[in-house]
Amino acid sequence: MNMTPVCPFVKASRPDDNNASKKSGENSMKHQVESESKGKKEVNDSASTSPKCPFGYDSHSFKIGPLSCTVCQALLFDTSKCVPCSHVFCKACILRFKDCPLCGADIVKIEPDANLQGVVDHFIEGHARIKRSVSSDKGEEATESKKVIYEDVSLERGSFLVQQAMRAFRAQNLESAKSRLNLCAEDIRDQLEKVGNTSELCSQLGAVLGMLGDCCRAMGDASSAVAYFEESVQFLSKLPKDDLEITHTLSVSLNKIGDLKYYDEDLQAARSYYFKSLNVRRDVVKHNSNVPSQVLDVAVSLAKVADVDRNLGDEKLATDGFQEAIDLLESLTLKSEASGLEQRRQSVLDFLRSQLPDKQEQAEAPV
């Protein structure tokens, strides 16, 4: 589906009319009629234009706009105003300061700015989509009026929301990140109802649910994190496993549940989730053995399962798992330009080798 983001705050500019000079008599009247006809045509054709957000938030480049917090660099959330300087920030951001980050003035108190937050919320609601229909109903031509329906472009809007969420997340403004991701998830669910379970939409929803899980985990809410990760797994497990993006997101969510169970000392549950992730990645490698990153993922999953086995007291099973991962990575051939993957391969190999019992101790041990 080819969709173009439309910002409701943009106004289509009328092109300059080279024949705009006034003429007397019939020529002047003729120009007026032509101008009105042209205006009506522009209304009907406005859906085909590609307007840009006046604040620059539809740009893929880094942008801090007038509705952004200068601390977390994301859109304002729970907007708060410093007194007396009146500079505004996200509440979670400004509470870390005693002096205004912009002007250095002492902060006497912090007040909520509900009006500005309302503007931000309306901007977010409208960015990259218009839900309403616009009709060109003009006098005698009312019967010929046409509706201009703008598409809901969740993919473009989703990129915008995820960008803002990740900025907030990196700055530890977690409530802001969670709010933007929830909006993104709602948008994608709406699109799924309209166009069906496409691989692109499904993988995006799975990823967003996983990021929501990350937010909850960072906030110390492990139970909600597990719920989001499990929802991601439940959703992605229903989809065909021939899409690498979907299987990667699925395996990552399974591993994250395993991590939470591991930290909660529920080792059997942790192993179960790690093993499910391992099986997903093994199935992928069967059909994509020439993709080095997939082989690396299998080695990481083997290490996770082996680590749990060791903690459960099964040293032999753990050693076998570590050795299998080592053999897999040692047989992996990377192209010279894949320097990043080679660094990762070597890093994982170093860890795996450190987990094996010392060769000398093995030789000295009684048979």
Side-chain angles (χ1 to χ4, degrees):
M1 176 177 272
N2 184 17
M3 298 181 291
T4 305
V6 179
C7 178
F9 292 91
V10 72
K11 294 182 179 178
S13 57
R14 295 173 63 102
D16 293 334
D17 192 338
N18 294 327
N19 298 318
S21 60
K22 291 184 179 181
K23 296 182 179 180
S24 59
E26 295 180 358
N27 286 339
S28 178
M29 180 63 68
K30 179 180 178 182
H31 171 70
Q32 182 178 352
V33 172
E34 288 177 350
S35 178
E36 289 178 356
S37 176
K38 184 178 180 181
K40 292 170 184 176
K41 184 177 184 299
E42 283 177 352
V43 171
N44 290 332
D45 291 346
S46 61
S48 64
T49 63
S50 299
K52 297 294 183 181
C53 173
F55 295 151
Y57 286 112
D58 52 3
S59 172
H60 291 290
S61 59
F62 185 81
K63 172 75 176 180
I64 301 178
L67 301 180
S68 301
C69 170
T70 55
V71 176
C72 68
Q73 300 179 339
L75 286 171
L76 288 162
F77 179 80
D78 201 2
T79 305
S80 298
K81 178 171 60 178
C82 296
V83 177
C85 68
S86 296
H87 288 131
V88 291
F89 308 89
C90 299
K91 183 177 180 179
C93 296
I94 194 57
L95 285 177
R96 304 169 194 167
F97 295 87
K98 294 182 178 179
D99 301 327
C100 175
L102 281 179
C103 66
D106 290 341
I107 299 175
V108 176
K109 63 178 179 176
I110 296 172
E111 296 178 343
D113 192 332
N115 290 334
L116 180 55
Q117 187 59 55
V119 172
V120 176
D121 292 342
H122 282 300
F123 172 75
I124 293 172
E125 176 60 27
H127 184 81
R129 69 180 183 186
I130 295 182
K131 291 183 176 180
R132 65 183 182 277
S133 299
V134 181
S135 61
S136 56
D137 189 356
K138 297 219 177 180
E140 298 178 355
E141 298 189 9
T143 57
E144 299 180 4
S145 65
K146 296 180 181 179
K147 288 186 176 180
V148 180
I149 301 175
Y150 294 94
E151 295 173 311
D152 186 317
V153 284
S154 292
L155 292 180
E156 293 295 336
R157 177 175 160 81
S159 299
F160 161 71
L161 289 169
V162 168
Q163 178 195 64
Q164 300 301 317
M166 290 301 95
R167 290 184 185 180
F169 185 85
R170 286 191 294 268
Q172 293 299 299
N173 192 350
L174 301 177
E175 287 289 353
S176 174
K178 186 178 177 182
S179 173
R180 308 316 182 206
L181 290 171
N182 271 319
L183 286 175
C184 185
E186 290 174 8
D187 285 350
I188 299 173
R189 291 184 198 278
D190 289 343
Q191 282 297 96
L192 284 169
E193 291 181 2
K194 294 176 182 177
V195 302
N197 291 348
T198 67
S199 295
E200 190 170 17
L201 285 172
C202 291
S203 61
Q204 286 211 355
L205 181 56
V208 169
L209 290 171
M211 286 186 277
L212 278 166
D214 289 334
C215 283
C216 291
R217 182 169 60 176
M219 295 166 72
D221 188 354
S223 60
S224 294
V226 169
Y228 277 120
F229 290 136
E230 286 182 338
E231 186 180 2
S232 174
V233 167
Q234 183 181 15
F235 184 77
L236 294 173
S237 296
K238 299 176 182 179
L239 303 175
K241 302 302 187 293
D242 56 353
D243 187 295
L244 292 182
E245 192 171 341
I246 289 176
T247 53
H248 176 74
T249 305
L250 173 60
S251 63
V252 167
S253 290
L254 285 166
N255 273 335
K256 287 180 177 179
I257 300 173
D259 290 342
L260 289 166
K261 298 295 183 182
Y262 185 95
Y263 299 140
D264 199 34
E265 299 183 355
D266 189 350
L267 298 181
Q268 291 291 354
R271 190 186 192 282
S272 174
Y273 282 106
Y274 287 152
F275 195 73
K276 288 177 182 177
S277 177
L278 173 59
N279 284 336
V280 169
R281 290 175 168 177
R282 275 177 166 161
D283 288 342
V284 172
V285 168
K286 286 179 183 178
H287 303 94
N288 300 274
S289 58
N290 60 335
V291 182
S293 61
Q294 303 298 325
V295 178
L296 275 164
D297 284 344
V298 171
V300 170
S301 283
L302 281 167
K304 284 180 173 290
V305 173
D307 180 60
V308 177
D309 287 334
R310 173 168 288 167
N311 281 277
L312 288 171
D314 196 333
E315 184 61 33
K316 183 180 184 308
L317 195 57
T319 300
D320 290 345
F322 287 128
Q323 188 61 58
E324 182 183 352
I326 290 172
D327 295 341
L328 194 64
L329 293 184
E330 286 181 341
S331 63
L332 180 62
T333 303
L334 296 175
K335 295 181 180 180
S336 57
E337 59 268 23
S339 57
L341 280 177
E342 174 56 30
Q343 290 178 0
R344 184 185 171 204
R345 184 186 79 94
Q346 195 58 54
S347 176
V348 175
L349 261 176
D350 291 343
F351 169 78
L352 292 169
R353 288 168 179 160
S354 72
Q355 300 304 304
L356 292 179
D358 186 78
K359 300 290 184 181
Q360 185 175 0
E361 288 182 3
Q362 285 185 334
E364 294 176 352
V367 179

